[in-house]
Every structure is written in C-alpha cells, then in structure tokens.
Amino acid sequence: MTEQTLQVEILRYRPETDQDPAFQTYTVPYRDDWVVLDALNHIKDNIDRTLSYRWSCHMAVCGSCGMMINGEPKLSCHAFLRDYYPNKVRVEPLANFPIERDLVAVTDDFMEKLESVKPYVIPQQERAVDEGPHLQTPAQLNAFKQYTMCINCLLCYAACPQYGLTPDFVGPAALALAHRYNLDTRDAGREQRQEIAASNEGVWDCTFVGECSQACPKSVDPAAAIQQTKIASTIDWYKALLNPWGKR
Amino acid sequence: MDVIETDVVIVGAGGAGLRAAIAVAEADPSLNVALTSKVYPMRSHTVAAEGGAAAVIKDNDSLENHFNDTVTGGDWLCDQDAVELFINEAPKELTRMEHWGCPWSREPSGHVAVRPFGGMKVERTWYAADKTGFHMLHTLFQTSLKYPSIKRFDEYYATDLLVEDGRCQGIAAIELRSGQMRVFAAKAVIIATGGAGRIFPFTTNGGVNTGDGAVMAYRAGVPLKDMEFVQYHPTGLPGTGILITEGARGEGGVLINNEGYRYLQDYGLGPPDPWPRKKAMELGPRDRLSQAFWHEERAGKTVATPHGQAVHLDLRHLGEKKINERLPMVRELALSYMGVDPVFKPIPVRPVVHYMMGGIHTDIDAATPLAGLFAAGECACVSINGANRLGSNSLTEILVFGGRAGRGAVEHVRSGGKDVDRTAIEEQAGEAQKRVAALFQKADGTETVVGLRKEMNHIMETGAGIYRSKESLEEACKTIGELRRRYADVRLEDKSNVFNTDLVQVLELGSMLDAAHVLAHSALNREESRGSHQRLDKTERDDETYLKHTLAHYTGEGDPRLEYLDVKITKSPPGERVYGGAAS
C-alpha cells in the first residue's frame, strides 16, 4: 500500500537571501492524529533543515506556534491534518506582523502593548505576606477568570482587521488583560490603566467586529472585554462631566 | 563584539528565572537585571505544569507532614536542612503569588482551596484549576513588567559561562534575531533553564527542555548532582507524551488494566477504596506507580494503542460537572489529542519522562561552588527532591529557590566587590564565537542532528529507563560516548544568521548528549535501587554505600569523574517507605 501523503505549502522568507517571501511546497506523510506542527517537524527533520518556526509545548498552552493555516490564525499544534486532508495545507506566518524569517513573526509591538496596559495587580495598599492571602469567593474569581486564560499566542491580533489597519491600536489580548486586572477584587489600578485602555488607540479603536473572540483558541472573549471597558469609560466620562471636581 | 553590562544576568525566564529577577529588583532596585531566555518568558515550560503547588496552609496539615512526605517520597536522598527551609518558606511564597494576582481556585468561603497529590498524607496542593503552571508563569511574567530594573533579552541562546579568576563574570549568548554573539558582563549569573527531558524519546517536556543551562555550568567546571534520578510521570498520553495531571487522580480518577482491575493493589498500594485515600493506590508516589505499569506490561495486562501499550485512567464516575470545573484541561487534551472524552470513556495513559531530580549542584542558598554563579528550578539540585520528587513540590521550588537565588546574587554583587575583567571575558566570548563559526565553516560534516538525536533517544529509553541494569547502563554509556565523538562531525545545514533554528538544534543536541552522558554514568555507578533509580541487578536500597549524592565533574572528551557527598540527615533517619493502607 502506498503511503498517504499531504501537500504543505509554506511561505518562506530568509531576509539575507530572499527579495520577497515565496511559497515552497513539501510533501509529508498523512497521519490522522498529526497536527500541522507534526508536519512542520517532519519537514525540518527529514526534508529541509532551513525551515524556521517557533514551537515548544505541543499541547496548546505555551502560545509559541500561532500561524496562518489556510488563511486562518491557528495554533499549529492544535490544527489537525485530518481537518484538511486530502486538500493541501497552506501555512504562513501570523498576519498583521512583520516577518522575521519564514514562519517567525516579529512580535515586539505586542510585547510593548502588553506592558503598556500595566498587567499586574496595583493594590490599594501593599499587603504584607504575614497577613496571608486575600479572601476571594469563587464568584469573584469567575468574574475575571476567563480573561486570565490568554496564552499570548497573538491569534487575535492576526484576526483583528482594525489592528491590520491601525497599528497603534492596543489590540484585543492586551485590552482583555487590562480588563482582567480591573475586575480582580485584589486590584485598585483601573484608573492607571485607563490612560491607555480608554485612549483613542485603546478600546475606542475597536469597531466590534468580534474576529478576536472567534480566533481565540482558549475561549477568551476579548471583544466582550473591550465592550465592557467602553461602557465603563463612558460612565467615567459622564461622571466627570456632571461632577468635574469630584473623585472619579 | 557587543557587550551588555549589567549587575545580574539570568539565563532562563520561566518560573524560577522570573522569580529570581523579581527578587533582585525587590532587594535592590538600583541593580540592573538582564533576563535572557532562548524563548519569550511565557513560552517557558513552567507553562505546562498542571496540577498545583504544595504549601502547608490548612489547620489539618502541618509542616512536619510536608517534611515527612517530601523526605519519604525522595527515598531519603533529600538534604533535610534544605527540605526544612523549603517547607517553611513555601506558604509565604504561594501567598506572595496570591498577592500578585495568581487566580488560585477557592473554597466557597473565599479561602484558597487545596487538593491531594500522590504521596501526600494530607491535601496541601494549591491549584488554579488544572493550569497552575500556566497561571503562575503568566502571573510572574506580568508582575515582572512592574520593575524597571529588569530588562529582558528574549530569544537569546546562551552558549557559555564566562569564568575568570575563579569567578563567574557573565555569559556569551547568541541573539537569535541577528545571529550575533553578545557578551553579558555581570558580577553574578543565575541559571534557571529547566529540565532536559528531551534526551528521552517519550516525554512530557516541551521542545525547549534540552538541559542547556545545566550543561553550560557543567562544562564550566560546576558538578552536576544526582543526574541518575529521572521521574516518570505515571499518566501521559501515548504518542504525544502530553501530561494528564496527577490532579485527575487527586479528584478520584482510578487506574485500571486491560481486565478493568485496579492493579495498583497488587503493588503494596491497596486497599482499593472507592474514594481517593491519601498515599494509597492512585495517590501513591510517582516512581511506584510508573514501576507498577512496567510490571503490568510485562504480564500482558496492558492495553494496546497505536502508540504502544497503555493502561486506563478512568474519570467517568466523577461526572461531567466536576470534570469541567476541576479538570477542564484534562478533558480538552484528551478530546483533542486522543479523541477520547473522559466523561464517557477512560483515557489511555502510560508512564512518561517528566522531571529530572538532578541538576547543578547548589547549596540551600541556590549558590553553586563557582563564585558568582547561582542556579534554581529544575536545572538545579539543592536537593529537596532526592531520588523521587513529591508531586507539586516543583512549582513551589521554583519560587522558593528562585527567590533565594535572586537575593543571593544581590548579596554577592554587594559584597563580592570585584569588578568584571572585561578583557578576559571578551576574549573568552571570542573563543565561544569561534566554536560556533567553525560549524558554519565546516563543509563536510557527516552526522545529522536528527540521526544522532534519534540514537540518543533510543538508547536512553532502553538503557536508562524505568528499570535499568548494569548491562543496559554499560550499553548506554558506550553508545552515548560514541555519539559524543560523532557529534564532532555534526553538519550544520542552514548557514544563515537570522533566526537559525538549525543552529539552535545543533547546540541543543550538544547539551543533551552531555546531560545524557552524565545521567548514564551516574546511574551505572549507583549500584542500588532507590526511588526512581531502579536496578534489576541491585534491587535493594543500600544506605551503607549510597546514602550519598552523586557529583559528576566534566573532563572534556573523557567520561565524567564521579565523586560522592553525604546526604544531610537532620531528623529523619532512613526508614521504610510505607504507602497504602498502612500509611494513612
């Protein structure tokens, strides 16, 4: 019996030698339990040592291996060949980011944006270790839990039409994370985060297309986080209008 | 060559590296920290830890219990002064994580919840559903962004420690984006690069776990301790090696063989209660459970899968609600990668290489014998893990000893006083660069990364797996020795500079071969069975001769030179490890 195979078309770009990115096609064995990452590893190990891409955990939690697979942002370790076979699979680096090389995207912009929203607990008052853990009920935890699930894979940035058009847009994952801390009962830093989150490049740049929430492999709903932040910012604005000297 | 001057350089930005960076920043904000890693911090393998982190916090528990569970679990190879310090600091470190926003699972009252893990007398594992490592890593990474003194160097692959005048004074590292070698000049260096599970073919470890940091220290003259002790986790998915957390058994999951029988009762772990009895059956220690599988497989009582033999982890009786609430990731992983929904079907699992108890020799302050060099986390060996780590101690360990490494580095910088010898270390980095350049210049390499890696993986599994013998280990030592020689002819096929992952894999393979070499020799020389190190030809523990740590010293091309160091026993003399009904 001849082995079943699958064609994988990969966007290659080596900045030292290539003028422009171009597709290269590889033929890999087809296995119904293989993911696209297995195919890439097969190519790297057996066909072409020069192919570069990021990966590590192979279990959809480290967030390294986000790519465009047949035009959709996916984790390559969670995109099964069986969902494409017998058609060929086209693999490209994450959209909306510059290409560093092959399937490796330059993601510095995201790292800066993540940092800009102050994604850490800003307490009302420092709590000493001796005072023990805070009390937080399961309901209070559930209020923000889903927004802690972001693995920073950047699929939402690749999916977001607004980020593609307006690179200054803070973007879904970073805004969702700001919202996560705003909702945490241990945090009192919302006002500090609002400088970025409620700015023009923050939530107001979002046109609520919702592609981010569709693309998220961890069922985080960044679109909802952004909408909730918009509502809260609007309330802030009215409060300031009605009571310009009051404490917000 | 570009030189980055800093006070402390950290290699590895997973849980231990991040905790160390924060500790430096908090102890002295005027000191600059260069946090380097071959990947972005949130890609580090801490992210994959699932079940939880141990620390005594409940009234029904005691520090004494945690001490005893750890020392017993480690088959008395733990240093008891280190364990004592560890269990004392554990609750403070996890509380600090709580203050930093870690989304710990809670009781209805709002208090942090705990669950039982294998080998524990009383439940004491803090958890964030079944993604504890993920939440801890992201909490630490995000918290680290608060400190302006921490400067990250993401995607830098460290190749060498720079040692002059008997002091560690920095590292040489390749910036992957440009392919250029950089010098980090620092008065203190902390290594926190994690484990080396990738030397085995079937492992829960991610692609990044290649032992680079430990081997970098080893080559610089720092001994590696207890490398023969490798923990097999009893429940990995066949094929991928994806981990199914012990938390699944803590919640009541049971292991059954091909006859539907809870076979662990035949291995001194009974009685088979229908509820999860502590330290018994499925909540026995990891080494015993993995060894039991080996015997079941020999007896033909396992289940055939397309990816080898397995047993069944049955969660069905827990019901959909509890599985979704406590073990959502288990369900997601089993569904995606095995096509099995644990609500309706048992999950096929088999033992899988999970954790290295051994690593860089450090004292209880995370200091190595080399002045200015510290190490923490899985790459280090204090040792609190002994011959078999107690489940859920490792996430706590990265905090306790990561923090100590950071504070130790600050102390060293303040008191060490001496300046970095720039000329000397730049010269050394130049040598490191020449070695890498030689790979680019060599046109006729005859060996491939993939070929050597496969041979290494194969011999480690057959020669130094769950059960070992003099014969199998001699074979492993011989083969790994040959592979190390053949590695000199390895071929770098990609000769470009930008993000060259062929180069990274060539260098990683060099690290793995040295780690495997130390592992095989340390195992061959330990003629006893203790914890995870089981010898078919020496089936008893031998406290007379081997109540000692192995220290392996680098000798270049030759075999490692082994010496032994007494285990520190403070209050628990070696006794029998008792599990099952007799233990609870």
Side-chain angles (χ1 to χ4, degrees):
Chain A
M1 196 179 89
T2 53
E3 197 182 36
Q4 290 175 306
T5 60
L6 184 81
Q7 305 254 299
V8 184
E9 199 176 65
I10 299 177
L11 192 69
R12 302 294 313 272
Y13 176 61
R14 282 149 293 183
E16 294 154 88
T17 49
D18 300 347
Q19 196 86 39
D20 293 303
F23 283 100
Q24 188 168 347
T25 302
Y26 301 90
T27 303
V28 303
Y30 170 72
R31 310 254 157 85
D32 65 1
D33 58 353
W34 268 19
V35 289
V36 171
L37 176 60
D38 294 318
L40 296 177
N41 283 338
H42 175 87
I43 294 166
K44 177 103 181 150
D45 282 358
N46 302 288
I47 308 175
D48 188 347
R49 293 292 303 163
T50 70
L51 179 65
S52 274
Y53 49 95
R54 295 185 178 110
W55 73 283
S56 179
C57 76
H58 199 292
M59 56 189 278
V61 70
C62 81
S64 308
C65 70
M67 301 170 190
M68 305 303 288
I69 297 172
N70 284 4
E72 287 178 33
K74 298 262 185 201
L75 296 176
S76 67
C77 72
H78 207 254
F80 287 85
L81 298 186
R82 57 179 180 250
D83 295 333
Y84 303 96
Y85 184 79
N87 300 315
K88 71 179 170 194
V89 179
R90 175 180 273 216
V91 188
E92 299 163 86
L94 281 178
N96 298 336
F97 292 95
I99 306 177
E100 188 157 305
R101 167 182 177 161
D102 296 339
L103 299 172
V104 179
V106 179
T107 57
D108 301 15
D109 183 56
F110 167 74
M111 295 302 281
E112 282 163 24
K113 284 172 174 162
L114 182 74
E115 200 165 341
S116 76
V117 300
K118 305 191 177 180
Y120 37 79
V121 168
I122 303 175
Q124 190 82 55
Q125 204 176 355
E126 286 297 334
R127 188 179 173 96
V129 168
D130 296 345
E131 292 174 67
H134 299 81
L135 288 178
Q136 187 171 62
T137 64
Q140 290 172 324
L141 172 65
N142 279 337
F144 68 91
K145 186 73 197 278
Q146 69 137 315
Y147 300 114
T148 66
M149 305 304 268
C150 170
I151 61 172
N152 298 172
C153 64
L154 309 188
L155 301 192
C156 56
Y157 284 74
C160 174
Q162 197 58 27
Y163 181 62
L165 294 170
T166 319
D168 285 342
F169 177 39
V170 177
L175 288 169
L177 204 54
H179 192 56
R180 168 249 179 277
Y181 282 99
N182 290 343
L183 292 176
D184 193 321
T185 49
R186 296 167 288 192
D187 181 83
R190 177 169 167 267
E191 221 162 300
Q192 291 189 45
R193 279 179 213 107
Q194 286 299 84
E195 286 168 34
I196 299 291
S199 69
N200 280 338
E201 292 73 35
V203 289
W204 300 107
D205 252 350
C206 167
T207 52
F208 202 38
V209 185
E211 296 283 348
C212 51
S213 300
Q214 292 285 322
C216 181
K218 296 284 132 182
S219 309
V220 180
D221 189 352
I226 293 171
Q227 292 320 301
Q228 287 169 26
T229 306
K230 281 183 184 172
I231 293 165
S233 306
T234 308
I235 293 169
D236 284 350
W237 185 83
Y238 276 109
K239 276 187 184 166
L241 189 75
L242 295 171
N243 183 10
W245 299 282
K247 194 174 180 305
R248 271 190 279 176
Chain B
M1 201 179 304
D2 283 357
V3 179
I4 293 137
E5 286 193 58
T6 184
D7 294 299
V8 179
V9 61
I10 300 174
V11 189
L18 286 163
R19 182 66 190 88
I22 294 170
V24 175
E26 293 206 319
D28 189 343
S30 74
L31 296 182
N32 290 313
V33 181
L35 179 59
T36 72
S37 171
K38 65 179 177 180
V39 291
Y40 280 90
M42 57 282 188
R43 315 305 182 205
S44 311
H45 203 63
T46 304
V47 81
E50 296 172 12
V56 175
I57 191 172
K58 299 293 180 190
D59 289 341
N60 66 341
D61 199 5
S62 71
L63 294 173
E64 195 69 20
N65 283 339
H66 194 183
F67 178 92
N68 287 330
D69 289 345
T70 302
V71 170
T72 312
D75 217 348
W76 277 274
L77 198 71
C78 317
D79 281 333
Q80 295 180 9
D81 56 341
V83 174
E84 184 123 27
L85 177 143
F86 167 73
I87 54 153
N88 276 316
E89 288 194 12
K92 295 175 204 157
E93 284 293 338
L94 294 190
T95 299
R96 220 168 254 128
M97 286 298 295
E98 197 280 336
H99 293 182
W100 288 334
C102 191
W104 296 117
S105 294
R106 305 282 177 158
E107 296 171 358
S109 63
H111 288 97
V112 170
V114 293
R115 64 163 47 132
F117 250 57
M120 270 183 193
K121 187 170 181 191
V122 178
E123 61 279 11
R124 74 173 66 87
T125 299
W126 302 35
Y127 59 98
D130 55 0
K131 299 189 178 181
T132 312
F134 161 77
H135 286 300
M136 282 179 52
L137 181 69
H138 281 253
T139 300
L140 285 165
F141 167 58
Q142 288 159 16
T143 301
S144 79
L145 299 172
K146 211 163 59 167
Y147 303 94
S149 59
I150 301 172
K151 188 166 174 0
R152 282 200 334 273
F153 295 84
D154 301 325
E155 301 192 324
Y156 278 67
Y157 182 90
T159 64
D160 289 75
L161 289 180
L162 306 175
V163 183
E164 182 65 25
D165 187 28
R167 290 179 291 133
C168 189
Q169 303 188 19
I171 62 163
I174 301 167
E175 180 190 41
L176 296 182
R177 176 170 296 179
S178 65
Q180 300 305 305
M181 187 75 96
R182 309 279 187 226
V183 178
F184 289 81
K187 286 181 183 164
V189 176
I190 300 169
I191 300 182
T193 51
R198 284 269 152 186
I199 62 182
F200 288 87
F202 184 59
T203 173
T204 60
N205 286 198
V208 295
N209 296 115
T210 53
D212 313 283
V215 168
M216 188 166 71
Y218 171 63
R219 289 174 185 161
V222 181
L224 297 185
K225 189 200 281 174
D226 294 342
M227 286 291 282
E228 60 271 42
F229 297 98
V230 179
Q231 182 167 80
Y232 278 73
H233 194 290
T235 56
L237 297 183
T240 55
I242 289 171
L243 174 71
I244 298 300
T245 176
E246 198 158 307
R249 285 169 280 131
E251 298 295 347
V254 297
L255 287 167
I256 50 179
N257 66 13
N258 65 359
E259 294 161 359
Y261 175 70
R262 289 175 69 191
Y263 58 92
L264 293 171
Q265 60 191 290
D266 295 347
Y267 299 89
L269 291 160
D273 302 301
W275 42 273
R277 182 198 287 261
K278 313 286 185 319
K279 297 185 89 161
M281 293 297 289
E282 288 79 8
L283 291 180
R286 290 177 179 176
D287 54 344
R288 294 283 171 84
L289 265 59
S290 294
Q291 289 151 16
F293 173 90
W294 187 92
H295 292 287
E296 289 291 297
E297 186 176 19
R298 295 262 149 154
K301 291 184 182 169
T302 46
V303 181
T305 79
H307 299 285
Q309 295 294 311
V311 287
H312 278 142
L313 174 62
D314 196 346
L315 305 180
R316 287 175 294 184
H317 53 289
L318 302 182
E320 184 166 11
K321 186 168 175 288
K322 191 166 184 184
I323 290 174
N324 284 346
E325 188 183 298
R326 305 283 182 88
L327 304 163
M329 182 150 151
V330 166
R331 189 176 186 192
E332 181 185 307
L333 291 170
L335 263 172
S336 294
Y337 295 102
M338 290 302 294
V340 169
D341 186 342
V343 171
F344 304 108
K345 280 174 78 178
I347 312 169
V349 292
R350 57 171 290 127
V352 54
V353 168
H354 184 53
Y355 186 89
M356 315 294 272
M357 268 66 74
I360 301 168
H361 175 40
T362 76
D363 64 16
I364 60 174
D365 294 316
T368 74
L370 175 61
L373 182 69
F374 300 80
E378 192 176 340
C379 71
C381 180
V382 181
S383 157
I384 63 155
N385 299 316
N388 171 59
R389 175 173 66 76
L390 185 70
S392 74
N393 268 355
S394 66
L395 282 178
T396 312
E397 181 181 10
I398 61 180
L399 300 173
V400 170
F401 291 98
R404 294 183 78 79
R407 292 189 292 275
V410 169
E411 203 53 43
H412 180 81
V413 172
R414 282 176 173 165
S415 66
K418 290 187 196 158
D419 285 333
V420 170
D421 185 341
R422 281 279 297 266
T423 319
I425 67 164
E426 281 186 57
E427 201 175 315
Q428 284 184 31
E431 291 301 316
Q433 189 175 29
K434 275 184 204 156
R435 282 202 319 276
V436 175
L439 288 166
F440 280 82
Q441 285 144 14
K442 189 168 58 187
D444 54 351
T446 50
E447 299 287 349
T448 65
V449 171
V450 182
L452 294 174
R453 193 173 64 208
K454 275 189 183 149
E455 288 186 51
M456 171 188 69
N457 282 165
H458 178 73
I459 192 65
M460 292 310 285
E461 182 72 21
T462 57
I466 296 179
Y467 279 95
R468 303 145 171 198
S469 67
K470 183 168 191 283
E471 208 179 10
S472 78
L473 288 165
E474 278 174 348
E475 188 64 29
C477 289
K478 185 168 144 265
T479 306
I480 297 291
E482 281 162 15
L483 293 173
R484 284 179 85 229
R485 282 187 285 284
R486 285 166 56 192
Y487 177 76
D489 285 321
V490 73
R491 183 166 70 234
L492 176 70
E493 292 182 29
D494 183 349
K495 309 276 186 180
S496 64
N497 290 305
V498 176
F499 217 94
N500 185 336
T501 49
D502 188 23
L503 174 64
V504 172
Q505 289 190 0
V506 166
L507 298 172
E508 288 174 337
L509 176 63
S511 299
M512 288 194 286
L513 285 170
D514 279 4
H517 195 221
V518 174
L519 196 162
H521 278 274
S522 303
L524 175 62
N525 229 42
R526 184 176 284 275
E527 297 188 343
E528 65 160 349
S529 287
R530 183 188 296 272
S532 67
H533 173 70
Q534 291 294 314
R535 293 266 303 245
L536 294 166
D537 55 331
K538 301 278 177 187
T539 53
E540 296 300 312
R541 191 175 84 191
D542 175 4
D543 290 328
E544 200 71 16
T545 323
Y546 291 107
L547 190 59
K548 288 181 165 56
H549 299 294
T550 308
L551 292 180
H553 295 265
Y554 185 65
T555 65
E557 284 170 18
D559 293 340
R561 176 172 59 80
L562 302 181
E563 55 178 26
Y564 291 88
L565 180 70
D566 285 340
V567 173
K568 289 199 192 82
I569 306 285
T570 57
K571 58 183 188 189
S572 170
E576 202 191 330
R577 293 174 75 198
V578 180
Y579 295 102
S584 55

